[in-house]
Structure formats: structure tokens, C-alpha cells
Amino acid sequence: DLVLACCGDTPTLEILGAVTILRQNIKDIKIRVINIVDLMKLQSDKQHPHGLSDDEYNELFTISKPIIFAFHGYPNLIHQLVYKRVNTNLHVHGYHEEGTITTPFDMRVQNKLDRYHLVISALKYLPQFKEGEALTKWCLEKIEYHNHYIKENGIDIPEVINFDFNEEIKKAAN
């Protein structure tokens, strides 16, 4: 149903958070998670020696499923790397120079690179799931809760601080 891709440690953490939320709330959803270590793999093998062939790229990213990509840099770089690929249903979340001195998770929220914005983005392209409207509302409420919490406490919300990255990697692998 959906490809969630990521590049960078923080985006990977947030993609795993988004996968957790989606799988807990939409039982029949099929999600493929792709963690990019070498960005040049996104380019065609005709453009870069590390690049994937069109067939390899299409096998991983599909030719038609929505791709939500969390990136540790500027989104336009990913668009440039996948230019001319078949699947143009790509939605990149990255940094937009939003935020100042704040909490680590708040920087992600301000740049819409957090798990809740990623879930909201994914749900826009998954109208077949009836849970989408309620889950979007829940995510917006979590973002609002986060905004109030950090102002009052000066730290990130407990569910972010206590997120077990290793446990989520194990779950995502299944």
C-alpha cells in the first residue's frame, strides 16, 4: 500500500515511529520500509556507478505506490536524484530551516519531519483505509499536545523520549 523511505538517523527513527502508529491503527496495511545509506543508489545506474537500474529501483519503490521519504537534508535533493524515475508519487519531508533553539523532537515537528506529520502525509494517499480520518485527527491532537508539553516542561513528550528504537527495528523487519 505504501513505501516509507528514509535517509539519516533521525529520519529513520521517525519513519519507524510512523510505521508503529500506522500498523497499530490500520491492521491490514502493507508497508515497505527502505533505509537509504548511499544516496547515489537513488540515481540511475546510467548516471552514477552506485545507482540502481530502473528495474531494481521499480522493484524496491514500486511503479505506482505512494512513497513518503524522510530525509536529513533539503527535500529538493531527493527529487533531483530520482528525476526521470517511473514512480513520481514521491513526497519528501526534510528540513526547511524551521526552528530555533528548542527540543530535538520539536525541530522535527517544526520541519514536519516527525512521525505524526509523516503519518498524516501517508494517509492523504491511502483513502482506501477508513481509519484515516480518525488517525489524522489523533496525529493533529498529538502535535498540539507536544506543542503545549514542551512549552510547559522544556523537554520532549514521554512517548518520544521513551521510544524503543531497537524494538521498532525488530517489528519493522517482520
Side-chain angles (χ1 to χ4, degrees), residues 139-158:
C139 286
L140 291 170
E141 289 169 356
K142 293 298 274 186
I143 293 166
E144 188 64 28
Y145 162 67
H146 152 79
N147 290 334
H148 291 294
Y149 190 91
I150 62 162
K151 286 177 185 160
E152 290 178 19
N153 300 288
I155 60 172
D156 288 322
I157 56 179

Side-chain angles (χ1 to χ4, degrees), residues 28-62:
D28 296 329
I29 195 166
K30 293 181 181 102
I31 302 170
R32 175 176 293 160
V33 176
I34 301 174
N35 186 336
I36 308 294
V37 177
D38 179 357
L39 278 177
M40 294 302 108
K41 288 280 190 193
L42 295 173
Q43 281 199 310
S44 167
D45 59 345
K46 296 173 185 89
Q47 295 174 306
H48 195 280
H50 298 177
L52 294 171
S53 70
D54 288 338
D55 288 340
E56 291 168 326
Y57 184 90
N58 293 341
E59 180 70 25
L60 286 171
F61 288 94
T62 79

Side-chain angles (χ1 to χ4, degrees), residues 22-174:
L22 287 164
R23 286 190 174 156
Q24 285 174 347
N25 290 279
I26 305 174
K27 298 302 178 207
D28 296 329
I29 195 166
K30 293 181 181 102
I31 302 170
R32 175 176 293 160
V33 176
I34 301 174
N35 186 336
I36 308 294
V37 177
D38 179 357
L39 278 177
M40 294 302 108
K41 288 280 190 193
L42 295 173
Q43 281 199 310
S44 167
D45 59 345
K46 296 173 185 89
Q47 295 174 306
H48 195 280
H50 298 177
L52 294 171
S53 70
D54 288 338
D55 288 340
E56 291 168 326
Y57 184 90
N58 293 341
E59 180 70 25
L60 286 171
F61 288 94
T62 79
I63 59 170
S64 62
K65 300 298 180 193
I67 304 165
I68 308 299
F69 199 120
F71 180 50
H72 64 208
Y74 296 107
N76 62 347
L77 175 59
I78 301 303
H79 287 286
Q80 290 170 5
L81 292 171
V82 301
Y83 180 70
K84 294 188 178 181
R85 292 294 192 176
V86 172
N87 189 347
T88 58
N89 195 0
L90 173 69
H91 313 280
V92 184
H93 291 249
Y95 289 103
H96 299 280
E97 304 289 337
E98 295 297 329
T100 64
I101 298 173
T102 186
T103 68
F105 186 70
D106 191 45
M107 287 294 292
R108 298 190 295 262
V109 170
Q110 289 185 37
N111 285 281
K112 297 184 177 164
L113 185 56
D114 63 282
R115 61 199 70 186
Y116 305 115
H117 281 101
L118 293 170
V119 168
I120 292 167
S121 182
L123 292 170
K124 287 181 195 174
Y125 306 100
L126 299 170
Q128 70 270 33
F129 294 107
K130 62 180 177 5
E131 301 91 343
E133 189 175 323
L135 187 51
T136 296
K137 182 176 184 253
W138 180 84
C139 286
L140 291 170
E141 289 169 356
K142 293 298 274 186
I143 293 166
E144 188 64 28
Y145 162 67
H146 152 79
N147 290 334
H148 291 294
Y149 190 91
I150 62 162
K151 286 177 185 160
E152 290 178 19
N153 300 288
I155 60 172
D156 288 322
I157 56 179
E159 49 266 63
V160 169
I161 291 172
N162 299 323
F163 185 74
D164 188 343
F165 184 74
N166 291 324
E167 185 62 30
E168 297 310 319
I169 289 174
K170 290 176 193 171
K171 288 180 191 174
N174 295 329

